[in-house]
Short mmCIF file of all heavy atoms in Angstrom, two decimals:
data_model
loop_
_atom_site.label_atom_id
_atom_site.label_comp_id
_atom_site.label_asym_id
_atom_site.label_seq_id
_atom_site.Cartn_x
_atom_site.Cartn_y
_atom_site.Cartn_z
N PRO A 1 30.04 32.06 -33.39
CA PRO A 1 30.21 31.45 -34.71
C PRO A 1 30.44 29.94 -34.68
O PRO A 1 30.37 29.30 -35.73
CB PRO A 1 31.43 32.18 -35.28
CG PRO A 1 32.17 32.68 -34.08
CD PRO A 1 31.12 33.01 -33.07
N ASP A 2 30.70 29.37 -33.52
CA ASP A 2 30.92 27.93 -33.45
C ASP A 2 29.62 27.12 -33.41
O ASP A 2 29.64 25.90 -33.57
CB ASP A 2 31.77 27.57 -32.22
CG ASP A 2 33.19 28.07 -32.34
OD1 ASP A 2 33.65 28.28 -33.48
OD2 ASP A 2 33.85 28.26 -31.31
N ILE A 3 28.50 27.80 -33.18
CA ILE A 3 27.22 27.08 -33.17
C ILE A 3 26.87 26.65 -34.59
O ILE A 3 26.75 27.48 -35.49
CB ILE A 3 26.09 27.96 -32.60
CG1 ILE A 3 26.33 28.27 -31.13
CG2 ILE A 3 24.73 27.25 -32.76
CD1 ILE A 3 25.27 29.17 -30.52
N GLY A 4 26.68 25.37 -34.78
CA GLY A 4 26.26 24.87 -36.08
C GLY A 4 24.86 24.29 -36.05
O GLY A 4 24.13 24.35 -37.04
N PHE A 5 24.47 23.73 -34.91
CA PHE A 5 23.18 23.05 -34.77
C PHE A 5 22.67 23.31 -33.36
O PHE A 5 23.38 23.07 -32.39
CB PHE A 5 23.36 21.55 -35.02
CG PHE A 5 22.10 20.73 -34.89
CD1 PHE A 5 21.32 20.46 -36.00
CD2 PHE A 5 21.72 20.19 -33.67
CE1 PHE A 5 20.17 19.69 -35.90
CE2 PHE A 5 20.57 19.42 -33.55
CZ PHE A 5 19.80 19.17 -34.67
N ARG A 6 21.45 23.81 -33.26
CA ARG A 6 20.86 24.12 -31.97
C ARG A 6 19.51 23.44 -31.88
O ARG A 6 18.55 23.84 -32.53
CB ARG A 6 20.70 25.63 -31.81
CG ARG A 6 19.95 26.07 -30.56
CD ARG A 6 19.82 27.59 -30.52
NE ARG A 6 18.99 28.05 -29.42
CZ ARG A 6 17.67 28.29 -29.51
NH1 ARG A 6 17.06 28.12 -30.67
NH2 ARG A 6 17.00 28.71 -28.47
N SER A 7 19.42 22.35 -31.11
CA SER A 7 18.15 21.66 -30.89
C SER A 7 17.44 22.31 -29.72
O SER A 7 18.06 22.67 -28.72
CB SER A 7 18.41 20.17 -30.60
OG SER A 7 17.18 19.49 -30.44
N TYR A 8 16.13 22.48 -29.84
CA TYR A 8 15.38 23.10 -28.76
C TYR A 8 13.99 22.46 -28.69
O TYR A 8 13.72 21.47 -29.36
CB TYR A 8 15.30 24.62 -28.95
CG TYR A 8 14.51 25.08 -30.15
CD1 TYR A 8 13.24 25.62 -29.99
CD2 TYR A 8 15.03 25.01 -31.43
CE1 TYR A 8 12.49 26.05 -31.08
CE2 TYR A 8 14.31 25.45 -32.53
CZ TYR A 8 13.04 25.97 -32.35
OH TYR A 8 12.31 26.39 -33.42
N GLY A 9 13.12 23.01 -27.86
CA GLY A 9 11.82 22.39 -27.65
C GLY A 9 11.93 21.06 -26.93
O GLY A 9 11.10 20.17 -27.11
N LEU A 10 12.97 20.93 -26.10
CA LEU A 10 13.25 19.64 -25.46
C LEU A 10 12.32 19.33 -24.30
O LEU A 10 12.37 18.23 -23.75
CB LEU A 10 14.72 19.61 -25.01
CG LEU A 10 15.73 19.80 -26.15
CD1 LEU A 10 17.15 19.82 -25.61
CD2 LEU A 10 15.59 18.70 -27.19
N THR A 11 11.46 20.26 -23.94
CA THR A 11 10.40 19.98 -22.97
C THR A 11 9.21 19.29 -23.63
O THR A 11 8.23 18.96 -22.95
CB THR A 11 9.91 21.27 -22.31
OG1 THR A 11 9.37 22.14 -23.32
CG2 THR A 11 11.05 21.98 -21.59
N LEU A 12 9.30 19.11 -24.95
CA LEU A 12 8.23 18.51 -25.75
C LEU A 12 6.98 19.38 -25.75
O LEU A 12 5.86 18.89 -25.90
CB LEU A 12 7.92 17.08 -25.31
CG LEU A 12 9.09 16.11 -25.43
CD1 LEU A 12 8.66 14.70 -25.06
CD2 LEU A 12 9.70 16.13 -26.81
N GLU A 13 7.21 20.68 -25.60
CA GLU A 13 6.14 21.66 -25.75
C GLU A 13 6.61 22.73 -26.73
O GLU A 13 7.78 23.11 -26.72
CB GLU A 13 5.79 22.31 -24.41
CG GLU A 13 5.23 21.36 -23.38
CD GLU A 13 4.94 22.04 -22.05
OE1 GLU A 13 5.50 23.13 -21.81
OE2 GLU A 13 4.16 21.47 -21.28
N HIS A 14 5.72 23.19 -27.57
CA HIS A 14 6.06 24.24 -28.54
C HIS A 14 4.76 24.88 -29.00
O HIS A 14 3.74 24.20 -29.18
CB HIS A 14 6.82 23.64 -29.73
CG HIS A 14 7.48 24.66 -30.60
ND1 HIS A 14 6.77 25.44 -31.50
CD2 HIS A 14 8.77 25.04 -30.72
CE1 HIS A 14 7.61 26.25 -32.13
NE2 HIS A 14 8.82 26.03 -31.67
N LYS A 15 4.81 26.18 -29.23
CA LYS A 15 3.58 26.90 -29.59
C LYS A 15 3.00 26.47 -30.93
O LYS A 15 1.82 26.73 -31.20
CB LYS A 15 3.83 28.41 -29.58
CG LYS A 15 4.79 28.90 -30.64
CD LYS A 15 4.96 30.41 -30.55
CE LYS A 15 5.87 30.96 -31.63
NZ LYS A 15 6.00 32.43 -31.54
N HIS A 16 3.79 25.83 -31.79
CA HIS A 16 3.27 25.37 -33.08
C HIS A 16 2.47 24.07 -32.98
O HIS A 16 1.75 23.72 -33.92
CB HIS A 16 4.42 25.14 -34.07
CG HIS A 16 5.04 26.40 -34.59
ND1 HIS A 16 4.31 27.52 -34.88
CD2 HIS A 16 6.33 26.70 -34.90
CE1 HIS A 16 5.11 28.46 -35.34
NE2 HIS A 16 6.34 28.00 -35.35
N MET A 17 2.60 23.34 -31.89
CA MET A 17 1.98 22.02 -31.81
C MET A 17 0.45 22.06 -31.86
O MET A 17 -0.17 21.26 -32.58
CB MET A 17 2.49 21.28 -30.57
CG MET A 17 3.96 20.88 -30.68
SD MET A 17 4.69 20.33 -29.11
CE MET A 17 3.65 18.94 -28.71
N PRO A 18 -0.22 22.95 -31.14
CA PRO A 18 -1.69 23.01 -31.26
C PRO A 18 -2.16 23.33 -32.68
O PRO A 18 -3.19 22.82 -33.13
CB PRO A 18 -2.09 24.11 -30.28
CG PRO A 18 -0.97 24.17 -29.30
CD PRO A 18 0.27 23.87 -30.10
N GLU A 19 -1.41 24.16 -33.35
CA GLU A 19 -1.73 24.54 -34.73
C GLU A 19 -1.66 23.33 -35.66
O GLU A 19 -2.54 23.12 -36.51
CB GLU A 19 -0.74 25.62 -35.17
CG GLU A 19 -0.89 26.15 -36.56
CD GLU A 19 0.21 27.17 -36.88
OE1 GLU A 19 1.00 27.53 -35.98
OE2 GLU A 19 0.26 27.59 -38.04
N MET A 20 -0.61 22.52 -35.52
CA MET A 20 -0.48 21.32 -36.35
C MET A 20 -1.64 20.36 -36.10
O MET A 20 -2.25 19.82 -37.04
CB MET A 20 0.85 20.63 -36.07
CG MET A 20 2.08 21.42 -36.43
SD MET A 20 3.57 20.43 -36.07
CE MET A 20 4.84 21.69 -36.14
N LYS A 21 -1.92 20.12 -34.84
CA LYS A 21 -2.98 19.18 -34.47
C LYS A 21 -4.34 19.66 -34.98
O LYS A 21 -5.09 18.88 -35.60
CB LYS A 21 -3.01 19.02 -32.95
CG LYS A 21 -4.10 18.08 -32.43
CD LYS A 21 -4.07 18.04 -30.91
CE LYS A 21 -5.17 17.14 -30.35
NZ LYS A 21 -5.16 17.13 -28.87
N ARG A 22 -4.64 20.91 -34.74
CA ARG A 22 -5.95 21.46 -35.09
C ARG A 22 -6.20 21.42 -36.59
O ARG A 22 -7.23 20.93 -37.06
CB ARG A 22 -6.05 22.89 -34.56
CG ARG A 22 -7.18 23.73 -35.14
CD ARG A 22 -8.55 23.33 -34.61
NE ARG A 22 -9.58 24.18 -35.17
CZ ARG A 22 -9.95 25.37 -34.65
NH1 ARG A 22 -9.36 25.81 -33.54
NH2 ARG A 22 -10.89 26.09 -35.20
N HIS A 23 -5.26 21.92 -37.36
CA HIS A 23 -5.55 22.10 -38.78
C HIS A 23 -5.31 20.84 -39.62
O HIS A 23 -5.76 20.79 -40.77
CB HIS A 23 -4.75 23.29 -39.31
CG HIS A 23 -5.19 24.59 -38.70
ND1 HIS A 23 -6.42 25.14 -38.93
CD2 HIS A 23 -4.56 25.43 -37.84
CE1 HIS A 23 -6.53 26.27 -38.25
NE2 HIS A 23 -5.42 26.46 -37.58
N ALA A 24 -4.66 19.84 -39.05
CA ALA A 24 -4.60 18.54 -39.72
C ALA A 24 -5.74 17.65 -39.28
O ALA A 24 -5.93 16.56 -39.83
CB ALA A 24 -3.26 17.86 -39.44
N GLY A 25 -6.51 18.08 -38.28
CA GLY A 25 -7.62 17.29 -37.79
C GLY A 25 -7.18 16.06 -37.03
O GLY A 25 -7.82 15.00 -37.13
N LEU A 26 -6.10 16.17 -36.24
CA LEU A 26 -5.52 15.02 -35.57
C LEU A 26 -6.12 14.81 -34.18
O LEU A 26 -6.58 15.75 -33.53
CB LEU A 26 -4.01 15.20 -35.45
CG LEU A 26 -3.24 15.40 -36.76
CD1 LEU A 26 -1.75 15.54 -36.47
CD2 LEU A 26 -3.49 14.26 -37.74
N THR A 27 -6.03 13.57 -33.72
CA THR A 27 -6.49 13.21 -32.39
C THR A 27 -5.43 13.49 -31.33
O THR A 27 -5.74 13.93 -30.22
CB THR A 27 -6.87 11.72 -32.34
OG1 THR A 27 -7.87 11.45 -33.33
CG2 THR A 27 -7.41 11.33 -30.97
N HIS A 28 -4.16 13.24 -31.68
CA HIS A 28 -3.06 13.36 -30.73
C HIS A 28 -2.16 14.54 -31.08
O HIS A 28 -2.05 14.93 -32.24
CB HIS A 28 -2.22 12.08 -30.73
CG HIS A 28 -3.00 10.83 -30.53
ND1 HIS A 28 -3.63 10.52 -29.35
CD2 HIS A 28 -3.26 9.79 -31.38
CE1 HIS A 28 -4.24 9.36 -29.47
NE2 HIS A 28 -4.03 8.90 -30.68
N ASP A 29 -1.48 15.06 -30.07
CA ASP A 29 -0.41 16.02 -30.32
C ASP A 29 0.71 15.33 -31.11
O ASP A 29 0.95 14.13 -30.94
CB ASP A 29 0.18 16.54 -29.00
CG ASP A 29 -0.77 17.47 -28.27
OD1 ASP A 29 -1.58 18.13 -28.93
OD2 ASP A 29 -0.67 17.52 -27.02
N VAL A 30 1.39 16.09 -31.94
CA VAL A 30 2.55 15.56 -32.64
C VAL A 30 3.76 15.60 -31.70
O VAL A 30 3.81 16.38 -30.75
CB VAL A 30 2.87 16.36 -33.92
CG1 VAL A 30 1.68 16.35 -34.86
CG2 VAL A 30 3.27 17.79 -33.58
N ILE A 31 4.71 14.71 -31.95
CA ILE A 31 6.01 14.80 -31.30
C ILE A 31 6.87 15.68 -32.20
O ILE A 31 7.19 15.32 -33.34
CB ILE A 31 6.67 13.41 -31.14
CG1 ILE A 31 5.77 12.49 -30.33
CG2 ILE A 31 8.04 13.56 -30.49
CD1 ILE A 31 5.56 12.91 -28.90
N PHE A 32 7.23 16.85 -31.69
CA PHE A 32 7.87 17.87 -32.53
C PHE A 32 9.31 18.07 -32.08
O PHE A 32 9.57 18.37 -30.91
CB PHE A 32 7.08 19.17 -32.42
CG PHE A 32 7.60 20.30 -33.26
CD1 PHE A 32 8.06 20.07 -34.56
CD2 PHE A 32 7.63 21.59 -32.77
CE1 PHE A 32 8.55 21.12 -35.34
CE2 PHE A 32 8.09 22.64 -33.54
CZ PHE A 32 8.55 22.41 -34.82
N ALA A 33 10.26 17.86 -33.01
CA ALA A 33 11.69 17.98 -32.72
C ALA A 33 12.30 19.05 -33.61
O ALA A 33 12.84 18.76 -34.68
CB ALA A 33 12.38 16.64 -32.94
#
């Protein structure tokens, strides 16, 4: 119960990143925090 904020994805990899890049038509991966 003491956890209030949990940051993750600190390897700068996440399964949502290809999805964001692909469907927004982007050239670069996003920096996702």
Side-chain angles (χ1 to χ4, degrees):
D2 292 337
I3 294 178
F5 179 92
R6 173 182 174 266
S7 182
Y8 66 105
L10 300 177
T11 61
L12 299 184
E13 296 178 341
H14 193 284
K15 66 180 182 179
H16 287 323
M17 291 167 59
E19 180 183 354
M20 296 182 195
K21 178 182 179 182
R22 165 73 179 273
H23 294 293
L26 303 181
T27 303
H28 307 292
D29 289 332
V30 301
I31 302 295
F32 182 41

